[in-house]
Amino acid sequence: ILLGRSALREPAQIEGELDRHWDRLHQGLGYYKPPSSSSAGKVKEKKNVAQPLKDFGFRISKLLNLDEQQSVQLLQCYLQEDYRGTRDSLKVVLTDERQSQGLLLKIADYYYEERMCLLRCVLLLLTYFQDERHPYRTEYSNCVNKLEKDLVSSYQSQFENLFKAEAPTWETHGNLMTERQVSRWFMQCLREQSLLLEIIFLYYAYFEMSPSDLLNFTKMFKEQGFGLRQTNRHLVDKNMDALVDRIGYLSSLILVEGMDIDFLHKCALEDCPEQHQFSGAPDMDQLLLTFGDIPHHGPVLLSWVLLRHTLRPDESNPVMRRIGNTALQLGVFQYLSSMLKGLGVSGNNCTASTAKMCIYGLLSFVITSFEEESLQGSHLIDAACEVLSAPSLAEVFWEMPNRGLGMILDSAAGMFPHKIGPLLQLLTALVSNKLTVKKVYNFLDKMSFYTQVYKHKPIDIISKDDETLWRRQAPKLLYPLGSGQANLWMPQGVLGQVMIAGEQGYMVRWDYSYSAWTLFTCEVEMLLHVVSTADVLAHCARAKPILDLVHKIISTDWTVSDCLLPLTSRIYMLLQRLTSVINPPVDVIASCVNCLSVLAARMPGKVWSSLHHTGFLPFASNPLTNMAQCVSAEGMKAGNYGNLLVQIEQPRGEYAVTIAFLRLITTLVKGQLGNTQSKGLIPCVLLVLKEMLPTYHKWRYNTNGVRERIGCYILELIHAILNLSPEGENQGSTPTLQSLCIYSLANTEAGQAVVNIMAVGVDTIDVVLAAQPSSCGSEGPGQILIQTVKLAFSVTNNVIRLKPPSDAVSPLEQALTQHGGHGSNLVVVLAKYIYHKHDPALPRLAIQLLKRLATEFLVGEWSCLHVVLELIDSKQQGKYWCPPLLHRAALAFLLALWQDRRDSAISVLRTKERFWENLTTPLFGTLTPPSDTTEPCVLEACAFVMKIIGLEIYYVVSGSLEQSLKDGLQKFSNARRYDYWSQYVKSLVCHVAETEEEGICCFPETQMLISAWRMLLILSTTHADVMHLTEDSTKLKLFMDVLDGTKAALTTPTSVPCLRLGSMMATLLLILLKPWRRCLGSSAPDILSPLALILESVLQADQQMMERTKAKIFSALISVLQIQGLNGGDISQLPQLLLSVCETVKDEALALIDNTRHMSQTGDLLEQEDSMETDCPCGLQKDQRDGVCVLALHLTKELCRSDEDGEHWVLVMRKVPVLPSVLSAVEISLRCKHNLFFTEAALHLLLTLARTPQVHTRGGVINVSSNGTSQSFSRKSQDSACWPGVYRLCMSLMESLLKTLRYNFINEALDFVGVHQERILQCLNAVRTVQSLSCLDEADHTVGFLLQLSSFCKEWQFHLPNLLRDVQINLCYLCQTCTYLLHSKKMLHHYLQSKNGEALPAGTRTQRPPQTLNKDAAATASSSGGEREEAEQKALLAVQCSLLKILSKTLATLQHFTPDCCQILLDQCMDLAEYRTLFVLSFTTPAFDPDVAPSFGTLLATINVALGTLSEMEKRKEPASLSIASSLLMFTMENCFYVLISQAVRCLKDPAILPRDKQRLKQELSSELSTLLSSLSRHFRRGSPSSPASGMLPSLQSKPSTPGSKASHEGQEPIIQLVQAFVRLVQR
């Protein structure tokens, strides 16, 4: 639960579990109590526990010395969680003595693991309770706060009890307590001690230790010898040494952490030692003077010296010196290195990370406080490197490289390059990420000292008398490589500080700047020169740290590799020369190969071609021609690596080169060389398969864990080869890597080796996991073993899957399926992996292998599948007659396999020869007519076949279908079987309709066949190519048959079966209409006639039974009318259809009114929150999107649209009171905010009617103005039905009616605008904050309506003067907002991303067309980046177009609020007070700040933006889909010029404006407009389109230019004439 792997994931659930078990965590191991008579009595009294379980509980209690009640609970938990048998087998186990003893020992292991898990829970809480990134940090923190109080004292006493516990004996614990069990008990005792100390250590990493606690812990650990003086130390064997060491390490760390050296260092730096908690500490000098006999004392003594030296520097100096010397004599720094290695790799291991942090503080303070010469230099650097291997500490180091450990780095740099190892060892540890790589690279690139040692003073040196300073007289070549090589020259005049001088020689530090990377190249080159001399070992010792650093750097940051090319390019020659000497330096060779592995991951081809010529890898001396030659290894040479393995590594038991070799080959295989260089790699892989895999477990090993690691690497290589893509593999006779691996594993001892790895078994893995320390992390021996077994499973799976089909069973398959003696069946061992708990992939892989084995041996001679295949075999029918019922049963069985997706059986069947041919045989027969059918099961058999084919096509990618099935489908099409079955299904439906009164004898079979046929036809709409149903004539024939069948079933329906068939056929009809609309276009009138008849019949039938069918017929009619509308032509059934549908609409609307009123009275209607944001989910609606009422309204709309001149609908609506009932229903729905889909559909209908000329006959049709529906609208995405959408429709309707009815509708329009004024103003303002398309769409509708209303300015001014003023102001601000957003594309893009999620506004998110489940999306993955960018561009363009439409309508509206240009220019007596000043006298660019008022600058910027967009479009010449309509831009500019000129003249004539302001206005406009005019003139000369509304301008129209003639002269363009006239006016 705490690891987050259970079903409980919510923080509240985690907190609940912690609260429930808090007391158990607090008690720790104290939770488990010893046996007692009272507990035994309570167990005996329990009625709900069976007596055998009670008896067994007492045996558990005796063996484990555990409370009787807890023993029974333990047994129950074990049976529930870990027992691997059944209830019946348990009864046998409990009565059988031998088996019950085995169960007892398993429960003992379970009990030990339970105790460990209890402590691990506490450790986990302490690890993450302050980690801000952890999802349960708060819950863990609360729990730790409760535990904290006396946790340490409790756990300390448990630790002491474990330490002092007497070992169990057979007298006290029963005869099962053998020596082996005692050893197991003691191992558990050590594990628990270690874990308790780990918890205490982590506790003190967060909480302060008091002085008294420090004294108590010190005394306790001394008494126990830091884990070495165990009460039962006679039981310690070599397997326990690591645990005993770990107890010592943690004891030492607890004392060091308790002294809080980090805070001590801080106090020393800030000169406030009194702040440290130990400033008044107890005197432990005498106690610590007794320390010094074991290495664990070293860090404690060193820490105490620092503490006393800092807090009381004047006291007991001799004592401190003595304690410090003792610490150094114990090899404290060497001990710290061993300790940190022993605690494991940091990463997820919190204990190791915390330990490194603790020791980092200690080392930093030691180096700061004491002279480095007095410390152990090389061991100090080793310890520092172990500490810095924690990535976080490497980063901390670089933040302050001159303090603490940085002083070691300076010291090591001062000895460079005389001593090359220390500096490079430190720098290698300091590489942790790309940032630190750059720091290390730059550090080495800019070295300023060069330290050399001389035995005698050189002759070319001048020195001072005291020999402290040398000066070089001549330039010096530092490496004797010759001038042609990379080299370093020390120039003349360089000064050198003599560090050491005497008889032994001189050490000189030259003040010389150079790049250490050049020096490294020289070192490697030097090693190449001396490789065959006696100096080779000394030079190898200098080259290895260089290679290790290069490996670490390029592993961490590949981008630096180019700079290291002089080094990496020499590795190949180094490898060639070093591997061919008599005693090759194995460690340097391993470093070389490790570097090449990293390089191979990025450029495998280059590494392979260079490595190929070194002789390092195995190779073939003869061309490879066949598998036999390969497997026999004829002509294969082991190469230098093979010789090195046999002659050096195996005798020594050290395998650094082998591990590097396996990594290198795996990397090369993964880097596509597995396909392109298959022949070259075969010798390498064959060496692994033949010489390594079968025998590696028998080799000599010096170090634990190496054998398992080599096994894992071998299997990783084979796994990579088996996963190579087959496309790249050569299909000739020469073996490929993959075929070689498959053959070797299937037929040689390599396969047996893999089987042996899988046969390890789940119990062995559990034992290994139990033996390792709790915090090994992902690198422990248990985890490596699990990974190796997983790889073995995967490899075996792939070998069986990929091996070529063969009659003979391979040795590998025999080994996997053989039954061993004494019940040692391998299949049982593999099956038991389902009980493995640590890695969920392992049970899954085991089950996969068992499933594959079961499949391989599935179709035996006596298997049921074999029998079924024989029953459906058409060729066997001559030998015997298969009764139809038996044939149907066989097909029913096959269908069950396909429906349940029994993949193993299906995969065997579908590839069987002639399976698809035999299966489809029934579909090619000729059935007796429906009236003569005597064997209804034949219909079922055909239905089963159709369903199997349908499921196969649906689930399998079309390209992967079996060829025999494809051939069968082609044959089905060629034989005109689609026509046959379509006709037959139609005749079946007609037969059912005709004989319904007589009773239908075989209705279930008929329904099943029709359902299967329907499934095939629906599949054909998406898989037409596979099913070969592509001819339009065939589709039309099939559709008309479906239509005829639907008509037969629904025109005279009386029985339920008949109606059910009719509903099924209607569904099919509706589904086929959309995908087949292209081939149905010309036949729309022929489809309409039967549909009209069906509708008539359906409307007269029982309404409750017909509800869904009616909706389907309505939908079908809508689709057909849309098809008809595209093709044109009259509809003869229009009057009758309109009448029928209007009757339905009226009835449904009245029913809806009653229903809504009833619900409003009962309080079932819910209000929705108001919000301007988008995408809030809509509440559930009672009316259905596809309900009869809504669809009838949509159908009415389509019929009215088809009735272009309106003569029919006017007559029908006079006859049927449909509009009053619809309007009443709309009004009540709007008031209640209910029936969303109905309201939307009704408004669409009204909008369609409002646009026709006859609308005046129904004047004042709607009064939506009087209810305040807009007050609670919330926004949503455009494509889903929503109340804001309804509001937008209302706005469109008002606009349309006002445009059509003019003065007849002005009162209603003003009522509407008055009621919705808050929403209207809010909407105009919202464009600034919400740029979703739904918000912009509403603004567009709103401005469109205001544009129509602005024509009635005087009426508006009279009725709503304040609102008019508010609207005018808001429109000016809207103009400013749109201009700003259109001008700042980046800003707009940013807003879209922040508001709508990565630049895709609501309603425009790109969607792939729906695909069937099996479609492979990989083909589209490569282009997804480009698609994403294009989608973002389209989304941005959509928003820009919306903004431009709003802007153009806004300016057109403002034109009505400003004086007429001609009138204000010519009429001197015009009343200026009638028109307000809309724009202030300022010329700044428009801002996004609502406090900045719109000005003349806004209008000029609008013209500039439009003109700029026009120019951009001309330059880019984008397709129409990606550009804005240029006519819209022209319309915007013209309106803007008009408003600008009108407002400017209004200001110039206004006596209230000061003359200087008028003068400034003239100057600015004269300048700006002249510039704009020249740009506009250039634009018109290029021949741009004029605005669609250019006729609105008062100037003369230019004559249209004839085709082919040049564009008219710019002087003739009306807009330019107007602007020029105005410019002349202001320039006077």
Side-chain angles (χ1 to χ4, degrees), residues 1583-1601:
S1584 277
S1586 56
S1587 160
S1590 56
M1592 292 163 69
L1593 290 166
S1595 57
L1596 294 169
Q1597 291 297 305
S1598 61
K1599 292 178 183 176
S1601 55

Side-chain angles (χ1 to χ4, degrees), residues 1295 1298-1299 1302-1303 1306 1309-1310 1313 1342-1357 1364 1367-1368 1371 1448-1458 1475 1478 1535 1592:
E1295 178 189 350
L1298 186 55
K1299 191 174 181 180
R1302 305 296 292 162
Y1303 280 97
I1306 186 63
L1310 287 169
V1313 82
T1342 303
V1343 178
F1345 172 56
L1346 293 176
L1347 174 58
Q1348 294 301 325
L1349 193 58
S1350 64
S1351 303
F1352 307 94
C1353 208
K1354 290 183 179 174
E1355 288 80 2
W1356 193 350
Q1357 174 68 35
L1364 175 62
V1367 166
Q1368 287 173 345
L1371 286 173
S1448 64
K1449 288 181 184 176
T1450 304
L1451 287 164
T1453 309
L1454 288 173
Q1455 194 182 326
H1456 290 115
F1457 299 141
T1458 193
Y1475 297 97
L1478 300 175
N1535 280 314
M1592 292 163 69

Side-chain angles (χ1 to χ4, degrees), residues 786-842:
I786 290 170
Q787 181 64 14
T788 310
V789 175
K790 277 162 58 180
L791 285 165
F793 271 114
S794 184
V795 162
T796 310
N797 246 321
N798 281 327
V799 169
I800 296 174
R801 177 174 65 87
L802 296 169
K803 73 178 182 63
S806 165
D807 293 336
V809 178
S810 67
L812 175 68
E813 290 165 317
Q814 280 180 339
L816 287 168
T817 53
Q818 68 189 3
H819 291 257
H822 309 293
S824 59
N825 188 343
L826 181 63
V827 170
V828 174
V829 175
L830 301 185
K832 282 187 178 178
Y833 278 106
I834 63 166
Y835 298 115
H836 177 81
K837 290 182 179 178
H838 298 272
D839 188 334
L842 186 50

Side-chain angles (χ1 to χ4, degrees), residues 291-292 295 297-303 305 321-333 335 376:
F291 277 37
H297 293 162
V300 183
L301 297 174
L302 190 62
S303 301
V305 170
R321 195 171 291 112
R322 186 174 156 195
I323 290 176
N325 285 332
T326 306
L328 293 175
Q329 285 162 14
L330 287 170
V332 62
F333 299 115
Y335 169 83
Q376 299 153 333

